[in-house]
Short mmCIF file of all heavy atoms in Angstrom, two decimals:
data_model
loop_
_atom_site.label_atom_id
_atom_site.label_comp_id
_atom_site.label_asym_id
_atom_site.label_seq_id
_atom_site.Cartn_x
_atom_site.Cartn_y
_atom_site.Cartn_z
N ILE X 8 -2.32 7.61 0.81
CA ILE X 8 -3.55 8.00 0.10
C ILE X 8 -4.33 6.75 -0.29
O ILE X 8 -3.83 5.90 -1.01
CB ILE X 8 -3.21 8.83 -1.16
CG1 ILE X 8 -2.48 10.10 -0.74
CG2 ILE X 8 -4.47 9.14 -1.96
CD1 ILE X 8 -2.08 11.00 -1.89
N PHE X 64 0.35 6.15 -3.29
CA PHE X 64 -0.72 6.41 -4.26
C PHE X 64 -1.34 5.05 -4.66
O PHE X 64 -0.59 4.11 -4.94
CB PHE X 64 -0.17 7.14 -5.49
CG PHE X 64 -1.26 7.58 -6.41
CD1 PHE X 64 -1.96 8.76 -6.16
CD2 PHE X 64 -1.64 6.80 -7.49
CE1 PHE X 64 -3.01 9.14 -6.97
CE2 PHE X 64 -2.68 7.18 -8.32
CZ PHE X 64 -3.37 8.36 -8.06
N PRO X 65 -2.68 4.98 -4.74
CA PRO X 65 -3.30 3.67 -5.04
C PRO X 65 -3.37 3.35 -6.54
O PRO X 65 -4.44 3.09 -7.08
CB PRO X 65 -4.69 3.80 -4.42
CG PRO X 65 -5.01 5.26 -4.52
CD PRO X 65 -3.69 6.00 -4.39
N GLY X 66 -2.24 3.40 -7.21
CA GLY X 66 -2.17 3.09 -8.64
C GLY X 66 -0.72 3.01 -9.05
O GLY X 66 0.19 3.19 -8.22
N VAL X 67 -0.49 2.77 -10.35
CA VAL X 67 0.89 2.66 -10.84
C VAL X 67 1.54 4.04 -10.84
O VAL X 67 0.97 5.01 -11.35
CB VAL X 67 0.90 2.08 -12.28
CG1 VAL X 67 2.29 2.17 -12.89
CG2 VAL X 67 0.40 0.64 -12.27
N THR X 75 -1.95 4.83 -13.58
CA THR X 75 -3.30 4.29 -13.41
C THR X 75 -3.82 4.73 -12.04
O THR X 75 -3.02 4.99 -11.12
CB THR X 75 -3.34 2.73 -13.44
OG1 THR X 75 -2.71 2.25 -12.25
CG2 THR X 75 -2.66 2.15 -14.65
N ALA X 76 -5.15 4.80 -11.93
CA ALA X 76 -5.77 5.13 -10.63
C ALA X 76 -7.16 4.51 -10.61
O ALA X 76 -8.16 5.22 -10.55
CB ALA X 76 -5.82 6.64 -10.44
N PRO X 77 -7.23 3.17 -10.65
CA PRO X 77 -8.53 2.52 -10.84
C PRO X 77 -9.58 2.87 -9.80
O PRO X 77 -10.77 2.87 -10.11
CB PRO X 77 -8.21 1.02 -10.81
CG PRO X 77 -6.80 0.90 -10.41
CD PRO X 77 -6.13 2.20 -10.54
N ASN X 78 -9.13 3.19 -8.57
CA ASN X 78 -10.14 3.44 -7.53
C ASN X 78 -10.26 4.92 -7.15
O ASN X 78 -10.88 5.26 -6.15
CB ASN X 78 -9.85 2.57 -6.30
CG ASN X 78 -9.97 1.09 -6.66
OD1 ASN X 78 -11.01 0.66 -7.16
ND2 ASN X 78 -8.90 0.33 -6.47
N ASN X 104 3.64 3.55 -5.18
CA ASN X 104 2.41 2.77 -5.09
C ASN X 104 2.15 2.35 -3.63
O ASN X 104 3.07 2.01 -2.90
CB ASN X 104 2.57 1.53 -5.99
CG ASN X 104 1.44 0.56 -5.83
OD1 ASN X 104 1.53 -0.41 -5.07
ND2 ASN X 104 0.34 0.81 -6.52
N ASP X 105 0.88 2.34 -3.24
CA ASP X 105 0.53 2.06 -1.83
C ASP X 105 0.94 0.66 -1.37
O ASP X 105 1.49 0.49 -0.27
CB ASP X 105 -0.97 2.31 -1.57
CG ASP X 105 -1.89 1.54 -2.50
OD1 ASP X 105 -1.41 0.86 -3.42
OD2 ASP X 105 -3.13 1.65 -2.30
N ALA X 106 0.71 -0.35 -2.22
CA ALA X 106 1.08 -1.71 -1.82
C ALA X 106 2.61 -1.83 -1.77
O ALA X 106 3.16 -2.48 -0.87
CB ALA X 106 0.51 -2.73 -2.80
N ASP X 107 3.29 -1.19 -2.71
CA ASP X 107 4.76 -1.21 -2.68
C ASP X 107 5.29 -0.60 -1.38
O ASP X 107 6.24 -1.10 -0.78
CB ASP X 107 5.33 -0.45 -3.89
CG ASP X 107 5.23 -1.27 -5.18
OD1 ASP X 107 5.04 -2.50 -5.09
OD2 ASP X 107 5.33 -0.67 -6.27
N THR X 130 -2.29 -6.70 -0.62
CA THR X 130 -3.17 -5.90 0.23
C THR X 130 -4.61 -6.08 -0.25
O THR X 130 -4.90 -5.99 -1.44
CB THR X 130 -2.80 -4.40 0.20
OG1 THR X 130 -2.97 -3.89 -1.13
CG2 THR X 130 -1.37 -4.16 0.62
N GLY X 132 -8.16 -4.53 0.11
CA GLY X 132 -8.90 -3.34 0.58
C GLY X 132 -9.97 -3.00 -0.42
O GLY X 132 -10.70 -3.89 -0.89
N THR X 133 -10.05 -1.71 -0.81
CA THR X 133 -10.98 -1.31 -1.86
C THR X 133 -10.63 -2.10 -3.13
O THR X 133 -11.50 -2.59 -3.84
CB THR X 133 -10.84 0.21 -2.15
OG1 THR X 133 -10.85 0.89 -0.90
CG2 THR X 133 -11.95 0.70 -3.03
N GLY X 134 -9.34 -2.17 -3.42
CA GLY X 134 -8.84 -2.99 -4.53
C GLY X 134 -7.91 -4.05 -3.97
O GLY X 134 -7.89 -4.30 -2.77
N ILE X 135 -7.13 -4.68 -4.86
CA ILE X 135 -6.07 -5.59 -4.41
C ILE X 135 -4.75 -5.03 -4.93
O ILE X 135 -4.62 -4.74 -6.12
CB ILE X 135 -6.28 -7.03 -4.94
CG1 ILE X 135 -7.54 -7.64 -4.32
CG2 ILE X 135 -5.06 -7.89 -4.63
CD1 ILE X 135 -7.79 -9.10 -4.72
N GLY X 136 -3.80 -4.86 -4.01
CA GLY X 136 -2.48 -4.36 -4.39
C GLY X 136 -1.45 -5.46 -4.16
O GLY X 136 -1.69 -6.41 -3.42
N SER X 137 -0.28 -5.31 -4.79
CA SER X 137 0.77 -6.32 -4.59
C SER X 137 2.14 -5.65 -4.51
O SER X 137 2.37 -4.61 -5.13
CB SER X 137 0.76 -7.33 -5.74
OG SER X 137 0.98 -6.68 -6.98
N ASN X 148 5.41 -1.83 -8.84
CA ASN X 148 4.26 -1.81 -9.76
C ASN X 148 3.91 -3.18 -10.35
O ASN X 148 3.65 -3.29 -11.56
CB ASN X 148 4.53 -0.80 -10.90
CG ASN X 148 4.60 0.63 -10.39
OD1 ASN X 148 3.73 1.07 -9.63
ND2 ASN X 148 5.64 1.36 -10.77
N GLU X 150 1.19 -4.97 -9.70
CA GLU X 150 -0.25 -4.92 -10.09
C GLU X 150 -0.90 -6.30 -10.24
O GLU X 150 -1.70 -6.51 -11.16
CB GLU X 150 -0.39 -4.12 -11.40
CG GLU X 150 -0.07 -2.65 -11.26
CD GLU X 150 -1.07 -1.91 -10.36
OE1 GLU X 150 -2.28 -2.09 -10.54
OE2 GLU X 150 -0.62 -1.16 -9.48
N GLY X 152 -3.20 -7.51 -8.57
CA GLY X 152 -4.64 -7.46 -8.29
C GLY X 152 -5.48 -7.47 -9.54
O GLY X 152 -6.69 -7.70 -9.49
N HIS X 153 -4.83 -7.21 -10.69
CA HIS X 153 -5.59 -7.15 -11.94
C HIS X 153 -5.37 -8.40 -12.81
O HIS X 153 -5.65 -8.37 -14.00
CB HIS X 153 -5.24 -5.87 -12.71
CG HIS X 153 -5.55 -4.64 -11.92
ND1 HIS X 153 -6.83 -4.31 -11.56
CD2 HIS X 153 -4.75 -3.70 -11.39
CE1 HIS X 153 -6.81 -3.18 -10.85
NE2 HIS X 153 -5.55 -2.79 -10.73
N GLU X 162 -9.50 -8.31 -8.63
CA GLU X 162 -9.88 -7.49 -7.47
C GLU X 162 -11.40 -7.33 -7.37
O GLU X 162 -11.92 -7.07 -6.31
CB GLU X 162 -9.14 -6.15 -7.41
CG GLU X 162 -9.62 -5.07 -8.31
CD GLU X 162 -8.90 -3.74 -8.06
OE1 GLU X 162 -7.85 -3.68 -7.38
OE2 GLU X 162 -9.40 -2.73 -8.57
C1 BGC O 301 -4.38 -0.63 -8.01
C2 BGC O 301 -3.06 -0.82 -7.31
C3 BGC O 301 -3.22 -0.55 -5.83
C4 BGC O 301 -4.36 -1.37 -5.27
C5 BGC O 301 -4.61 -1.06 -3.80
C6 BGC O 301 -5.44 -1.48 -7.35
O1 BGC O 301 -6.67 -1.28 -7.99
O2 BGC O 301 -4.27 -0.97 -9.39
O3 BGC O 301 -2.10 0.03 -7.85
O4 BGC O 301 -2.03 -0.86 -5.18
O5 BGC O 301 -5.56 -1.14 -5.98
O6 BGC O 301 -4.94 0.27 -3.60
#
Side-chain angles (χ1 to χ4, degrees):
I8 298 180
F64 188 82
V67 171
T75 69
N78 297 305
N104 172 264
D105 55 356
D107 283 342
T130 63
T133 312
I135 294 183
S137 59
N148 295 312
E150 292 294 313
H153 300 296
E162 78 174 14

